[in-house]
Amino acid sequence: MNITVQSIKFDADQKLVDFIKKKAAKLGLFLDNIIEGFCYLRLENVEDEANKVVELKLNIPGSQLFAKAQAKTFEEATDVAIESIRRQINKYKTKVKNNVSNHKEILNSEEDEY
């Protein structure tokens, strides 16, 4: 899976970019047909310490998964966003599996009618 990391209005450290790519690559264990991914890093103008924002977007066949997380560090926000995407992947896989099994049931019932 190819993931593009883009930092908005600041330069991200190579260590941070490598961390994000390593974490995102683990999503390939849950879903093998991820087309590409984008990660956007921003600093919010708020007085709170948790001003680091990570937005993660994955393109998969027929859909797009998106997660946004805000935390004190980019690493922490990345972990939250990755976990959110992982849950979305599980929902997506369940939905696809149910659609396939329902389709098979419909085909079998149509064959029984003939």
Side-chain angles (χ1 to χ4, degrees), residues 50-96:
N51 64 343
K52 277 72 170 184
V53 178
V54 173
E55 295 178 358
L56 193 59
K57 182 170 58 170
L58 293 181
N59 292 326
I60 57 176
S63 188
Q64 188 176 70
L65 305 177
F66 180 80
K68 181 178 179 180
Q70 186 170 347
K72 290 181 180 180
T73 65
F74 282 116
E75 289 83 358
E76 188 178 337
T78 299
D79 287 338
V80 172
I82 293 286
E83 182 61 25
S84 176
I85 291 282
R86 191 189 61 75
R87 285 193 306 270
Q88 290 179 41
I89 287 173
N90 285 339
K91 283 183 182 179
Y92 171 78
K93 286 170 63 173
T94 303
K95 182 179 168 184
V96 168

Side-chain angles (χ1 to χ4, degrees), residues 7-51:
S7 53
I8 300 170
K9 296 187 180 180
F10 75 97
D11 290 329
D13 187 11
Q14 186 60 39
K15 206 161 104 174
L16 175 62
V17 172
D18 292 341
F19 174 81
I20 293 169
K21 287 185 178 187
K22 185 176 123 187
K23 286 285 190 175
K26 290 183 181 179
L27 291 173
L29 298 173
F30 300 104
L31 188 66
D32 58 351
N33 59 350
I34 298 173
I35 299 169
E36 63 183 346
F38 298 98
C39 181
Y40 302 103
L41 308 173
R42 288 189 293 119
L43 290 169
E44 287 285 315
N45 290 333
V46 293
E47 294 183 18
D48 189 18
E49 284 184 22
N51 64 343

